[in-house]
């Protein structure tokens, strides 16, 4: 005496159910085993790396224009938060601007570094 159904339709249904159950069990086994394996971070392809826009390098020095919030132009360090939109300058040009009377920022105090020999 078998504990399986006697007709073909129910046997096929049971076969389908067992196949689906076996697939789910195998997926669960793979999920449990996955953390035991060392993880590798996927490297982006060369095309993906090329598609990412490069951020411009922060200039070492800059000059902010006279504007509504700033009545006069000022020399700033490139990373100064008070500089706002600045035009990049070389150290030599920043020294020359300071020598010509352009004001130094009171926050980042670029003259302390620029006037060193």
């Amino acid at each position: 005496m078998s504990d399986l159904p006697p007709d073909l339709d129910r046997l096929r249904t049971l076969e389908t159910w067992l196949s689906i159950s076996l697939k789910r069990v195998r997926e669960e086994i793979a999920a449990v085993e996955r953390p035991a394996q060392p993880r590798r971070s996927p490297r982006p392809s060369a095309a993906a790396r090329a598609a990412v826009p490069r951020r411009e390098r922060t200039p070492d020095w800059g000059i902010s224009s006279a504007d509504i919030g700033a009545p006069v132009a000022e020399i700033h360090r490139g990373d100064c938060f008070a500089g706002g939109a600045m035009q990049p300058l070389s150290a030599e040009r920043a020294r020359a601007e300071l020598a010509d009377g352009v004001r130094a920022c009171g926050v980042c105090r670029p003259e302390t570094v620029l006037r060193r020999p």
Side-chain angles (χ1 to χ4, degrees):
M1 181 79 77
S2 174
D3 59 345
L4 297 174
D7 60 300
L8 184 59
D9 286 339
R10 286 190 284 177
L11 285 170
R12 291 287 182 196
T13 302
L14 184 58
E15 178 186 35
T16 303
W17 183 82
L18 289 170
S19 294
I20 292 170
S21 296
L22 182 60
K23 181 181 177 201
R24 288 181 53 215
V25 169
R26 286 181 175 157
E27 288 172 352
E28 190 64 26
I29 289 171
V32 170
E33 289 177 341
R34 207 171 291 129
Q37 298 172 352
R39 288 196 176 251
R40 293 184 196 164
S41 59
R43 284 189 70 192
S45 66
R49 288 190 305 267
V52 175
R54 299 236 181 223
R55 204 175 86 180
E56 288 188 32
R57 183 181 153 305
T58 302
D60 293 333
W61 310 102
I63 185 166
S64 63
S65 302
D67 204 355
I68 294 172
V72 295
E74 292 182 327
I75 301 295
H76 298 270
R77 290 173 47 155
D79 59 352
C80 179
F81 69 89
M86 294 186 289
Q87 179 182 9
L89 295 176
S90 66
E92 294 79 25
R93 175 73 191 271
R95 282 188 191 98
E97 293 289 340
L98 287 170
D100 288 343
V102 176
R103 195 167 96 181
C105 172
V107 175
C108 65
R109 304 198 29 115
E111 76 282 3
T112 58
V113 175
L114 288 169
R115 292 205 175 131
R116 288 183 188 160

